[in-house]
Structure formats: structure tokens, C-alpha cells
Amino acid sequence: MSAEPEYAWPRPPAGGYTTEDLDRIPDLPPHTELIDGSLVFVSPRTKFHMRAMRLLEHRLLHAAPPELEVVREMTVTLGKRDRPEPDVLVAHADADTGPRQTGYRPEDVVLAVEVVSDDSGARDRETKPRKYAAAGIPHFWRVEAGKDGWSPVVYVFELEPATRTYAVTGIHHERLKTDVPFPVDIDLTAVARRV
């Protein structure tokens, strides 16, 4: 009987990892983020999470003007020790560096969207929005599952540039309609359907 090889967990360097390390560490699980120099591994996604991401990505793709690009699950380098991965983001199309691109700079990002999971609540509600705002990302949406588990609630935030903090500009339950960062009208109840 042969023994399974033991997995060798990455050992952080003194002072923690840097954003460059994220692309160099072999065999990291998909969607690994870097927050405050520490690797953050995401748990398996729920069906609500997947459908919310898919709905928002598709509707944003249809609504975005040509100078903007909508992408899923790509990192944003916020500083030397922070490289979170929004579930969906909207960036300037001219920030595209080619097929091997693994992330964006904060000045390229117009909107960051986080769908809250059981294991990511504190990061998605507190840590990431604070860091996105400090980096100057103008718009942030936080998506939460409603009481029935299917009906999403989308909290829409806009950057207050003088303080570099986000202010809530709307809480949307069945329909998300906004004009910023561009006009979009989304039937949020579609999350419960296979669309």
C-alpha cells in the first residue's frame, strides 16, 4: 500500500507575502487572495453565489459601454501586501495587457462587486470595501442573500473622494437600477431562475 504524498503548505516569508508572490507560488488553490500579506483561500461556492455572479456579470456585460470591460474573479493589486479578487469587476478596456494578465491596478477599476459567502462576511463587508475605497475605486457593490436564500440584496456604494470612504447610495431588493458607473437595470429575482 503506497502512502499519499503529504501536501506542503506554503510557508510565509518574514513580513508576509507580497503581491508578486501570488503569481509565483506553485499549486495555490483557485481564487487565492492576498489580504494584509496573508494568503486567503476561498471555500467552495454556493449555488446562490455562482448564480449571483453570473447574473451580474451578464447584465453588466450587456450594459457596459465599449470603453469598459466586465470580468470575473481577477485580482486587483491595491498595494504591496493586498491583492483581493472581486467576484465581478468593471475596468477600463485599455487596461487590458493581454491573455496572460492576472489582475488590474486600482486606477483601472471602476466597480468592484463582492458576493458575500459564509466564510467571507467580514472580508466582504469590512476589510475589502475599506481597502477598495482607500485605493480610490469609485464604485462598490456588496451582494447578500436575502432571508429566503435566493433573493439577493445589493448594497450600492460610491466613493466620497475627500475621505476615501464609501457612502451607501442605494439598497436594492428585487431590482437594481442605477445610472452609475453607467446605466444598468437588473431584475435581481432572476438569481432564483436558471438564466
Side-chain angles (χ1 to χ4, degrees):
M1 187 163 111
S2 65
E4 295 271 333
E6 191 172 311
Y7 180 77
W9 289 97
R11 295 186 191 273
Y17 291 105
T18 64
T19 55
E20 295 85 19
D21 294 329
L22 204 54
D23 289 328
R24 291 189 283 227
I25 302 170
D27 303 320
L28 285 177
H31 313 297
T32 299
E33 300 179 286
L34 184 69
I35 306 289
D36 295 325
S38 296
L39 298 176
V40 176
F41 306 117
V42 271
S43 64
R45 302 259 164 81
T46 63
K47 187 168 270 192
F48 169 81
H49 195 283
M50 181 273 304
R51 283 190 182 178
M53 284 185 357
R54 182 174 61 194
L55 174 70
L56 293 173
E57 178 191 25
H58 287 177
R59 297 308 188 266
L60 288 168
L61 276 167
H62 290 294
E67 65 272 11
L68 296 176
E69 181 176 14
V70 178
V71 294
R72 269 174 59 160
E73 304 166 314
M74 287 193 72
T75 60
V76 181
T77 301
L78 302 180
K80 185 176 180 174
R81 296 169 32 90
D82 288 300
R83 197 167 149 196
E85 181 182 286
D87 290 310
V88 179
L89 66 81
V90 177
H92 296 285
D94 61 6
D96 185 330
T97 62
R100 299 195 56 83
Q101 182 172 357
T102 60
Y104 289 90
R105 301 171 306 165
E107 57 267 27
D108 300 328
V109 179
V110 175
L111 168 66
V113 180
E114 295 288 355
V115 180
V116 177
S117 299
D118 290 342
D119 73 324
S120 71
R123 287 189 310 275
D124 292 343
R125 294 181 187 118
E126 300 166 24
T127 306
K128 288 183 178 183
R130 181 175 38 80
K131 290 179 180 286
Y132 293 152
I137 295 174
H139 301 278
F140 173 69
W141 296 356
R142 188 182 79 234
V143 182
E144 305 258 1
K147 291 179 183 176
D148 65 357
W150 278 117
S151 305
V153 179
V154 180
Y155 297 83
V156 174
F157 299 87
E158 190 167 340
L159 185 67
E160 200 287 286
T163 61
R164 286 216 170 205
T165 58
Y166 285 125
V168 175
T169 60
I171 301 173
H172 304 266
H173 294 271
E174 293 182 1
R175 182 178 179 200
L176 168 57
K177 186 173 183 178
T178 183
D179 290 327
V180 290
F182 48 84
V184 65
D185 189 350
I186 302 172
D187 173 10
L188 296 173
T189 65
V191 166
R193 303 186 300 272
R194 292 185 305 160
V195 292

